Amino acid sequence: MDSRAFAAAGGALVGGIVVALLLGPKPSQIERIRTDDPRSSAIVKHNGVVMISGQVAIIDQLDNSDITAQTHQTLAKVDELLKAAGSDKSKLLEARIWVKDIKTDFAAMNKVWNEWIDPDNKPTRVCVEAPMARPSILVEVQVTAAA
């Protein structure tokens, strides 16, 4: 192969690599928001998906609030985090709900949830009974949404 043919072949190879880099898949983009908690980020955005950490009611009000109040407070926190991430409840993809006593509190929690959720854009959802990190926490909610 003469030097001109070699240069042409090399140029085509380099050009192909540049095109592949420009048109190929982009590297993952991860954005972590509100990282002051030593255990987790409040929000993580990755490739157009927003994930928030589990939310509970206002800690200072736990001892004086029932499941209805705690669910309202928790969902207000979810709304605020989604807004901070550039999303909202109409873009929810999945919800995970933990209830301390499902026999006692499921119906009241579900009533608040049903009033809060966008009826035209409901996510998939799982709701289970689980022990909580503090005895006075009655509900925890974690959601994933489109950005």
Side-chain angles (χ1 to χ4, degrees):
M1 177 184 292
D2 71 20
S3 62
R4 286 179 293 187
F6 183 76
L13 177 63
V14 170
I17 291 171
V18 169
V19 168
L21 289 173
L22 292 174
L23 299 179
K26 303 290 183 239
S28 289
Q29 297 296 317
I30 300 173
E31 180 181 2
R32 300 175 198 286
I33 303 168
R34 298 192 184 172
T35 60
D36 52 320
D37 186 306
R39 294 170 299 280
S40 65
S41 299
I43 305 164
V44 174
K45 292 172 72 173
H46 178 255
N47 291 339
V49 176
V50 174
M51 293 156 272
I52 70 166
S53 61
Q55 298 300 303
V56 299
I58 300 166
I59 298 299
D60 295 342
Q61 297 179 18
L62 289 174
D63 292 333
N64 301 318
S65 54
D66 63 7
I67 187 67
T68 299
Q70 285 197 23
T71 305
H72 278 292
Q73 293 169 14
T74 300
L75 294 175
K77 286 180 165 184
V78 169
D79 279 331
E80 194 274 324
L81 288 174
L82 289 171
K83 183 178 179 182
S87 189
D88 61 61
K89 65 185 171 187
S90 73
K91 297 177 183 175
L92 290 179
L93 303 172
E94 178 185 54
R96 297 177 186 168
I97 303 171
W98 296 269
V99 178
K100 181 177 181 178
D101 185 339
I102 210 153
K103 284 183 181 178
T104 303
D105 292 332
F106 180 76
M109 178 281 302
N110 225 27
K111 183 177 186 305
V112 176
W113 174 268
N114 289 343
E115 293 167 357
W116 175 80
I117 198 71
D118 180 336
D120 296 323
N121 296 290
K122 295 175 274 194
T124 61
R125 186 183 105 162
V126 61
C127 181
V128 298
E129 181 176 86
M132 298 294 176
R134 293 182 184 203
S136 52
I137 295 173
L138 303 177
V139 63
E140 182 170 351
V141 176
Q142 184 272 327
V143 302
T144 301

